[in-house]
Amino acid sequence: MDELKTSVYAVKTTNRQERAVADNIYAAVKDDIDDIAITSVIVPDELKGYILVETYEPLARVEELMERVPSARIVLKGAMSLDEVGHYLTPKPTVTGIDEGTIVELISGPFKGEKAIVKRVDSAKEEITVELYESVLPIPITVRGDNVRIIDHGDD
């Protein structure tokens, strides 16, 4: 006997409405009298304007559901497997793209709004050590990678 396999469909959404569409899909499936089975909804940050819907249902049933979901535009033809979208399920380290010499702005903490230059990156702890630009004494400050915003990569 064949084991049921799920398919993943990409759904185009209104710009910046990905999270709302996912919530609306949940509400529609929860209250649905048609019993459309949606296994999961993935809202990857790096895939702007799209969400991924995992289901056992055929494309026609997914399209039927999306017609009732506000801000869902179209379901792209062609299903994907979980293996093809698995990289969206793996969290990326917060220090990705930050190297020594990168100029950053601190976006939280007591030095919020200050500009600094990265002196060391600790990928294992997801922390960076920075020195403030306008500081008279170069004091190293260690902050989490998600507490900074990259301004310039400083490779000039």
Side-chain angles (χ1 to χ4, degrees), residues 52-96:
L52 303 173
V53 177
E54 179 189 15
T55 182
Y56 294 106
E57 304 286 349
L59 176 63
R61 296 269 291 162
V62 176
E63 288 175 332
E64 179 184 321
L65 174 65
M66 292 309 142
E67 288 174 4
R68 296 185 302 235
V69 175
S71 298
R73 295 291 173 230
I74 61 168
V75 180
L76 299 183
K77 305 291 184 211
M80 299 172 271
S81 68
L82 273 178
D83 295 334
E84 292 176 287
V85 296
H87 63 280
Y88 291 120
L89 305 174
T90 314
K92 306 246 183 312
T94 57
V95 294
T96 301

Side-chain angles (χ1 to χ4, degrees), residues 2-129:
D2 286 336
E3 188 176 309
L4 283 177
K5 292 223 178 211
T6 60
S7 297
V8 179
Y9 295 98
V11 178
K12 180 142 179 61
T13 66
T14 303
N15 196 23
R16 298 179 189 239
Q17 295 296 313
E18 299 89 355
R19 180 75 56 193
V21 171
D23 293 341
N24 290 336
I25 290 171
Y26 173 76
V29 169
K30 186 176 131 193
D31 300 336
D32 200 0
I33 57 173
D34 293 342
D35 291 332
I36 295 178
I38 300 294
T39 309
S40 65
V41 178
I42 305 167
V43 185
D45 288 335
E46 58 269 12
L47 201 58
K48 301 291 182 203
Y50 293 90
I51 62 167
L52 303 173
V53 177
E54 179 189 15
T55 182
Y56 294 106
E57 304 286 349
L59 176 63
R61 296 269 291 162
V62 176
E63 288 175 332
E64 179 184 321
L65 174 65
M66 292 309 142
E67 288 174 4
R68 296 185 302 235
V69 175
S71 298
R73 295 291 173 230
I74 61 168
V75 180
L76 299 183
K77 305 291 184 211
M80 299 172 271
S81 68
L82 273 178
D83 295 334
E84 292 176 287
V85 296
H87 63 280
Y88 291 120
L89 305 174
T90 314
K92 306 246 183 312
T94 57
V95 294
T96 301
I98 301 176
D99 299 312
E100 290 182 19
T102 300
I103 299 168
V104 296
E105 177 183 356
L106 300 170
I107 58 173
S108 68
F111 299 105
K112 181 177 179 178
E114 294 286 330
K115 291 183 179 148
I117 187 162
V118 176
K119 293 299 181 179
R120 192 177 77 233
V121 178
D122 186 347
S123 296
K125 293 183 181 177
E126 297 189 6
E127 293 179 337
I128 60 171
T129 302

